[in-house]
Amino acid sequence: KNSNPTEAPGNPNVEEQANLAFPLASMEENAEINPSGKESSDPFSMQTETGYHSRYQAKLRGKIMHRLLEKLLSNEDKNAVISAVAAEFSQATTGSIIKACLSEAEKLLHNTELQILFDPSYYIQAYNEIPIGYEEQGNIIYGIIDRLVVYTEHVTIIDYKSSAVLDEKNTDDLANSYREQMRLYKTGVQKLWPGKTVSAKLLFTHTGRLVDS
């Protein structure tokens, strides 16, 4: 996959770019972190307010959300994005699932409380769908980070969760179920930026809620 870097205005930070110039994506996958768009282990994936009742539809919706966010954050033309994503997942461009996911994605990108993650004026550089791999206790750990945002003194990992969470308790329970996944992400990213603080957050796309993990 392309890492799709998004740079802030001004001169790019060469040191930051070098860290992810060669992501460890080709290593043997002894232990794969939950890959982007795959939420089959999500205990709440069947709970929904928008009509996606089947497990297949829930997984499809998650994959479409991830791809839309990846492409929209890469500043691609909106109509071209809709056409490409619809074709990739064999959906009509005016179909209900594409329209619902697009509306959800645009709400996130225009959410004023989330601009620190999406507005280039806030950060040095950002990467979408970035592979990461490293060795831990003799095992090769591999995964794909949905969004990685590099700031002056810290780095933030964002993992999108497209589950239609119904209440605050569900959100907290689901966040807890992903703590090990996020720990693995943080460990890998800390190796790339040992001089920066690394944090990890879950972004629930249906509600726009950002949860520390």
Side-chain angles (χ1 to χ4, degrees):
K1 287 186 179 181
N2 254 334
S3 58
N4 295 326
T6 302
E7 296 178 11
N11 295 326
N13 186 306
V14 176
E15 179 183 355
E16 304 299 351
Q17 288 185 324
N19 283 332
L20 287 175
F22 301 100
L24 306 178
S26 60
M27 302 176 74
E28 183 178 352
E29 297 175 22
N30 291 348
E32 185 176 6
I33 306 172
N34 188 47
S36 175
K38 183 186 290 185
E39 300 191 27
S40 59
S41 61
D42 178 353
F44 302 106
S45 63
M46 300 294 287
Q47 298 186 17
T48 175
E49 295 174 333
T50 52
Y52 303 108
H53 296 300
S54 73
R55 185 171 297 276
Y56 167 78
Q57 286 177 310
K59 290 174 66 176
L60 176 63
R61 182 179 184 277
K63 291 177 180 179
I64 289 174
M65 276 298 304
H66 278 74
R67 185 69 82 243
L68 282 172
L69 286 167
E70 175 188 1
K71 288 182 170 294
L72 291 171
L73 284 166
S74 299
N75 297 317
E76 297 184 33
D77 176 75
K78 177 180 172 179
N79 290 330
V81 167
I82 295 171
S83 297
V85 174
E88 179 180 354
F89 295 99
S90 302
Q91 301 292 311
T93 56
T94 57
S96 60
I97 190 168
I98 293 292
K99 290 173 66 176
C101 288
L102 179 63
S103 175
E104 191 168 298
E106 289 186 316
K107 285 180 181 178
L108 287 177
L109 298 182
H110 291 100
N111 186 329
T112 57
E113 296 182 355
L114 300 176
Q115 290 310 294
I116 193 170
L117 305 177
F118 300 134
D119 184 343
S121 66
Y122 285 95
Y123 52 75
I124 295 173
Q125 193 162 17
Y127 298 86
N128 300 309
E129 301 294 322
I130 181 71
I132 187 168
Y134 63 95
E135 184 176 345
E136 182 181 76
Q137 297 180 350
N139 295 317
I140 299 301
I141 309 298
Y142 174 82
I144 297 176
I145 296 173
D146 294 337
R147 186 164 174 82
L148 184 67
V149 188
V150 181
Y151 303 91
T152 304
E153 298 182 352
H154 68 283
V155 181
T156 298
I157 299 164
I158 304 299
D159 196 67
Y160 305 132
K161 296 304 177 188
S162 59
S163 306
V165 180
L166 299 181
D167 55 44
E168 293 294 317
K169 184 180 185 303
N170 282 357
T171 302
D172 293 337
D173 289 346
L174 183 54
N176 286 333
S177 73
Y178 284 104
R179 290 198 183 281
E180 176 61 12
Q181 173 192 345
M182 302 308 283
R183 182 193 70 79
L184 292 171
Y185 282 156
K186 286 193 289 186
T187 299
V189 171
Q190 191 71 74
K191 293 175 182 292
L192 295 171
W193 282 279
K196 294 182 185 287
T197 301
V198 177
S199 63
K201 300 178 184 294
L202 300 176
L203 177 54
F204 291 93
T205 63
H206 188 65
T207 61
R209 185 180 173 192
L210 195 64
V211 180
D212 290 329
S213 182

